Amino acid sequence: MADNVTSLFRSTAAHSPSMAALARESDGAGPVDFCIPCNPYFPTPAMFEEMAVRLREIITYYPSSADTITAELCNLLQLPPQAVAMGNGSTELITWIDHLLVRESLAVPVPTFGRWTDQPMETGKRVDMFPLQESSGFALDLAQYAEFIRARGTRVAVICNPNNPDGGFLHKHAIVQFMDAMADLDLVVIDESFLEFADAENEPSVVQEAMLRPNVIVLRSLGKNFGLHGIRFGYLVANPALAGKVRAMLPKWNLNSFAEHVVFMLKEHGAEYAQSLHQVRRDRMDMSGQLSSLPGLTVYPSQGNFLFVRLPVGAEGTVVRDRMLTEHRILVRECGNKIGSSSRFLRLVVRPQVDVRRLVTGLEQVLYGTSRRGAAVPEQATGTGYSSGTAAVDRLVSETNGSGMRGLAAQAAGAGVPGLAAAPAAGTGMPLPAAASTVRADPGGGMPVPAAASTGTAVGRGVGTGAQGMPQPVAQPVPQQMPQPVPQPVPQPAPQLFPEPVPQPAPQLFPEPVPQPAPMPAPVPAQPLAPAAQAPMPAAAAFSPPAPAPAAPAPPPAGPTPPGVPARGGLTAAQVRGTDGLSMAPATGWPGAQAAWPNAAGMGQTG
């Protein structure tokens, strides 16, 4: 395998070769997988045996329609079928969301799941990327993110909770507050693909709140949670009108017979599924401690079924990845090709303790030699510290902030005068000026909200700031002109996402009464969302083109961290226990009866 490792990684369109490709190169036995974020404890051996017995029947005949499979899943999760659309994996749903609901621009924090950046760029949309800072442990500041969205004039916002690859977690009350502050956007997407592995909050999902709002979609995965990536199935939850718009475009038989069989057998295995999630959380804590004991290795707090780690100074991720695979038969995810990351970082999937001991032993030998005292693996002699192709991606992002080749063409069109950038055109990635009057911080310490264009007074506030009800949508503010010869075009008001009034979910849509969400309390004093005035917004400055007006000097970048010292914001073994300042859920005593099934709104409830 050693001679073919490099070619295997270069020949795949994904971040890593498939397990089938790796198995073919090693006479049928694949490596220990720390790359693909899959639940290692589910399905149970008995469930696999049951599927094996029925294999011929499953692969011979057509599945039922997607409506039939969706209805069974909704019965299991206590969700109304009208508010759910099932897809052939979350990637299919992301593709349809982009085609149907993203008209011009999308904002997303980076690093994150690659399809949220790549998919809209492939269809010519502008992608406004909000960089998560290593110095703050890659934590997402929702107040600064909201200000970034307003400054850029973005029409769609995405949040992944927990985020992939770092596992960062946001509390439910903060996300609901953000959703209401962004009520005038075309769409807000909350990607909860890894949320069922979280234990920092008993009921962290916002699916119930999403069904009551006309512009919110919650995306959820089944393959990751159920340990069945090969089946390719996931679902979204939204207001019935919005979910129906996506569902109407999906193929009649977009779900396969394996997906149908698994969905219909799950109701008998709720207790095993709950126990598998419980074991993954315990393994995550144990694995964090073991990895944090390695000198110079920084482990970031995670609520997913993976850990984001920074390699010691001098270690290059592709070298570590290749040596772990060829010398120890362990597959790890090197993150150099993730926008906003570099080859200094690995994402390691949580696995049983016996596999973790093998991983730690392998890393000790690759990074330090057998005694942990040897030199770390050297940087590559030539090229950058990124994986193949990443330097080009970073250049594209830094010059256009996600507008793709169209943004580069727009800049080239204005290159007649040396040093003069082209005037921003509609749909390009040129940053918009951040007018101070268009966004203001909530005096109650909550989310920044748009100000009325004529009077400058607040139109609405997020949940928990004392407002009555959901804030009303506001008109998109007209940005100030760029200090360039060509005037800044004034964005026209975007057409309404729904041409007709969207009916509120009526009681007859729900098979059982669904409690309305309680009014959100004021933000917890210990963790208020930082007002925009209290912290600078580095993202807008980082992606802005040169301008005649002088800008405030950026703080000097931090130098390399010495071996054995965590990075600023990085945590050591004693600190890696859930998320900052949050109370952990009990490690034992899973709620509910043995036959109970956790519902989609939170793991603390039973079906």
Side-chain angles (χ1 to χ4, degrees), residues 213-459:
R213 288 160 173 80
N215 72 328
V216 177
I217 285 178
V218 173
L219 192 67
R220 308 205 94 212
S221 172
L222 295 174
K224 300 175 182 66
N225 303 335
F226 296 155
L228 295 168
H229 278 286
I231 290 183
R232 307 299 303 139
F233 58 163
Y235 64 100
L236 63 80
V237 183
N239 181 283
L242 188 53
K245 190 171 184 177
V246 176
R247 191 169 54 245
M249 299 301 297
L250 296 173
K252 187 72 172 177
W253 281 285
N254 68 320
L255 302 176
N256 59 61
S257 295
F258 264 115
E260 177 179 17
H261 184 78
V262 170
V263 168
F264 273 83
M265 72 186 298
L266 286 175
K267 59 187 175 184
E268 305 297 334
H269 299 279
E272 295 97 320
Y273 174 62
Q275 181 58 37
S276 75
L277 298 178
H278 177 70
Q279 187 60 50
V280 169
R281 297 175 190 131
R282 293 178 64 90
D283 287 348
R284 179 178 64 213
M285 185 176 297
D286 176 78
M287 183 172 168
S288 297
Q290 292 198 47
L291 289 173
S292 297
S293 68
L294 297 177
L297 195 77
T298 301
V299 183
Y300 294 90
S302 173
Q303 284 285 295
N305 64 328
F306 46 81
L307 296 171
F308 198 46
V309 304
R310 194 188 70 168
L311 294 170
V313 173
E316 205 282 330
T318 56
V319 176
V320 175
R321 176 199 68 194
D322 292 352
R323 288 187 57 188
M324 290 292 290
L325 184 59
T326 57
E327 299 173 14
H328 301 278
R329 298 191 56 75
I330 294 174
L331 178 64
V332 299
R333 169 67 160 104
E334 177 266 327
C335 293
N337 63 351
K338 271 190 176 292
I339 297 174
S341 180
S342 77
S343 288
R344 289 288 307 280
F345 297 91
L346 303 179
R347 186 195 67 191
L348 302 172
V349 173
V350 173
R351 290 192 61 85
Q353 293 186 22
V354 60
D355 293 336
V356 174
R357 287 194 290 271
R358 179 173 172 179
L359 170 71
V360 171
T361 299
L363 286 173
E364 287 177 345
Q365 295 179 11
V366 169
L367 293 175
Y368 322 103
T370 55
S371 66
R372 293 196 188 184
R373 300 179 187 276
V377 293
E379 296 278 3
Q380 292 176 323
T382 59
T384 68
Y386 294 94
S387 297
S388 175
T390 302
V393 172
D394 284 353
R395 173 179 171 270
L396 186 65
V397 173
S398 66
E399 295 187 10
T400 71
N401 194 11
S403 64
M405 297 307 298
R406 184 172 60 179
L408 289 177
Q411 293 186 40
V417 180
L420 178 63
T428 67
M430 300 294 287
L432 299 174
S437 61
T438 60
V439 180
R440 67 170 185 82
D442 189 334
M447 185 67 55
V449 294
S454 59
T455 64
T457 57
V459 174

Side-chain angles (χ1 to χ4, degrees), residues 2 26 62 151 153 194 205 209 217 291 495 504 559 598:
S26 56
Y62 281 113
F194 296 96
S205 178
E209 288 73 16
I217 285 178
L291 289 173
Q504 293 299 316

Side-chain angles (χ1 to χ4, degrees), residues 35-51:
C35 177
I36 307 302
C38 201
N39 184 345
Y41 299 110
F42 196 82
T44 64
M47 295 174 67
F48 276 118
E49 291 177 8
E50 178 182 341
M51 285 187 281

Side-chain angles (χ1 to χ4, degrees), residues 140-223:
L140 173 59
D141 186 314
L142 284 179
Q144 292 188 20
Y145 184 40
E147 184 177 352
F148 172 79
I149 291 168
R150 296 303 185 191
R152 296 285 297 175
T154 319
R155 299 306 307 156
V156 175
V158 175
I159 291 176
C160 295
N161 190 42
N163 189 44
N164 172 14
D166 57 277
F169 175 80
L170 295 167
H171 272 290
K172 178 177 179 178
H173 75 84
I175 293 184
V176 172
Q177 184 179 347
F178 178 85
M179 286 159 46
D180 286 342
M182 300 290 110
D184 59 309
L185 297 190
D186 293 347
L187 185 68
V188 176
V189 181
I190 311 299
D191 188 339
E192 296 184 347
S193 292
F194 296 96
L195 190 62
E196 295 203 24
F197 296 107
D199 60 359
E201 192 170 10
N202 284 333
E203 299 179 12
S205 178
V206 295
V207 292
Q208 298 292 345
E209 288 73 16
M211 289 188 290
L212 302 177
R213 288 160 173 80
N215 72 328
V216 177
I217 285 178
V218 173
L219 192 67
R220 308 205 94 212
S221 172
L222 295 174

